[in-house]
Amino acid sequence: MTKLAYLHEPGVLENLRSRYDINAIYTYTGNLLIAVNPFRKLPHLYDSHMMAQYKGAAFGELSPHPFAVADASYRQMMNEGISQSILVSGESGAGKTESTKLLMWYLAYMGGRAAAEGRTVEQQVLESNPVLEAFGNAKTVRNNNSSCFGKFVEIQYDQSGRISGAAIRTYLLERSCVCQVSDPERNYHCFYMLCAAPPKDIQRYKLGNPRTFHYLNQSNCYELDGVDDSKEYIATRRVMDIVGISNDEQDAIFRVVAAILHLGNIEFKKGKGIDSSVPKDEISWLHLKTAAELLKCTTSLIWTGTS
């Protein structure tokens, strides 16, 4: 303790390097868990064997871990009958999204197996993550899967401690990222997934190569290493089925996503009136008409709303 006054940057870096070498990426400060992003997969830290070890263990008895935080929260909820909250905070690229997944995995593991029309409630809770990531995550300078929004996830349990439902509230989606992207970042994943959809869906939503859309070609990054956007699109549709989003609702969602891309390709020129504008050329009018068709409204309705 007496040496803390001499803590310096080389010492901190050496500490972090030592932690990386032994995969000790977690530590406690009181009842807070601090995580260091290892920037690599550590599957052995998060398997079912690890979950079983932390189940019912006293907080601090085992090595620091998100499972310990989740278990302590679950036990306190069951013992005292009081709702619990776990706050996950950190800067971009710190690992908030992955830490939240781990907490949800453990809480779903503790929630038992409540059947719901052929699929479990906990499966629906866990499968909600890919949907949120598709429409709320993007590649940034620091992170290939950065969550550009805040979310409040509420997992509901019955008196026996089994999951009975869940609610997800989204806050502060960074809408400015839709229309302006800096190199080498990418826009939200859903745009690229839809552009890589099967041919019938490409035709249905009137899309094509992402390089042809202004909201996507401001950056030279169109693909992510190790990620197949066409497969991600199919997986996202499957997950939307699991969480109960109907085909009509899915179609409406992707029509809006496609319409946004077409709206971004409309260029304007000065109109006849003061402070007025009109689409610049036939190409802009074509994108306006396409957006109107996707949104199932007339061009005049869109034009009135955007003029």
Side-chain angles (χ1 to χ4, degrees):
M1 293 295 289
T2 59
K3 294 182 180 179
L4 285 177
Y6 301 99
L7 193 62
H8 47 73
E9 184 175 351
V12 173
L13 293 176
E14 178 60 29
N15 180 279
L16 292 176
R17 185 161 36 248
S18 298
R19 285 180 175 275
Y20 274 118
D21 291 341
I22 61 174
N23 294 332
I25 61 173
Y26 299 111
T27 190
Y28 288 132
T29 173
N31 60 351
L32 300 179
L33 177 70
I34 299 177
V36 177
N37 192 340
F39 294 100
R40 61 174 180 264
K41 299 290 185 181
L42 301 174
H44 65 284
L45 290 181
Y46 312 112
D47 55 20
S48 56
H49 173 70
M50 290 293 287
M51 289 187 183
Q53 282 188 314
Y54 282 90
K55 182 177 181 180
F59 190 81
E61 180 181 331
L62 300 175
S63 300
H65 201 288
F67 293 164
V69 175
D71 187 78
S73 180
Y74 180 84
R75 294 294 169 189
Q76 195 162 357
M77 176 193 71
M78 293 301 299
N79 294 336
E80 300 184 10
I82 301 175
S83 296
Q84 303 293 308
S85 294
I86 301 175
L87 175 65
V88 182
S89 180
E91 65 177 8
S92 178
K96 297 184 296 297
T97 298
E98 293 301 318
S99 295
T100 301
K101 287 181 188 177
L102 296 173
L103 293 167
M104 292 178 67
W105 284 345
Y106 189 86
L107 292 172
Y109 165 77
M110 294 295 290
R113 295 286 174 181
E117 298 179 359
R119 54 181 182 264
T120 63
V121 176
E122 60 266 29
Q123 182 187 9
Q124 291 177 294
V125 171
L126 295 176
E127 292 284 14
S128 66
N129 275 317
V131 177
L132 293 174
E133 291 180 13
F135 294 93
N137 287 28
K139 178 190 181 301
T140 62
V141 175
R142 296 186 178 185
N143 189 351
N144 281 1
N145 191 35
S146 179
S147 53
C148 302
F149 70 106
K151 63 176 178 285
F152 180 84
V153 182
E154 181 180 281
I155 301 178
Q156 301 150 353
Y157 295 84
D158 58 22
Q159 291 183 342
S160 64
R162 294 194 174 191
I163 293 177
S164 59
I168 299 174
R169 300 184 182 90
T170 304
Y171 301 98
L172 302 175
L173 179 69
E174 296 179 20
R175 288 175 291 181
S176 61
C177 296
V178 172
C179 51
Q180 186 171 3
V181 182
S182 301
D183 204 23
E185 299 180 341
R186 275 204 340 170
N187 214 314
Y188 290 105
H189 297 325
C190 59
F191 293 119
Y192 304 90
M193 290 160 87
L194 192 54
C195 287
K200 64 176 182 179
D201 285 356
I202 292 289
Q203 184 177 6
R204 179 182 183 84
Y205 300 117
K206 306 182 186 306
L207 293 175
N209 194 303
R211 291 171 174 80
T212 62
F213 293 101
H214 175 66
Y215 285 166
L216 306 183
N217 63 20
Q218 299 171 49
S219 164
N220 291 318
C221 180
Y222 299 96
E223 300 172 350
L224 297 179
D225 292 338
V227 176
D228 186 331
D229 287 314
S230 60
K231 293 182 179 179
E232 291 297 317
Y233 172 78
I234 295 172
T236 299
R237 294 296 293 255
R238 179 186 62 80
V239 170
M240 293 171 86
D241 288 334
I242 292 175
V243 299
I245 301 175
S246 69
N247 287 330
D248 289 342
E249 289 172 327
Q250 292 181 38
D251 180 60
I253 290 169
F254 285 110
R255 278 193 288 104
V256 171
V257 171
I260 290 172
L261 290 178
H262 285 286
L263 289 173
N265 277 15
I266 302 174
E267 296 185 68
F268 298 94
K269 65 180 181 179
K270 183 175 175 57
K272 295 179 179 179
I274 301 175
D275 296 332
S276 68
S277 60
V278 295
K280 180 180 178 180
D281 48 31
E282 286 300 318
I283 295 177
S284 294
W285 274 109
L286 176 61
H287 284 292
L288 178 62
K289 293 174 182 177
T290 303
E293 185 178 341
L294 289 166
L295 296 174
K296 296 188 176 181
C297 63
T298 63
T299 55
S300 60
L301 182 60
I302 291 183
W303 184 242
T304 302
T306 59
S307 61

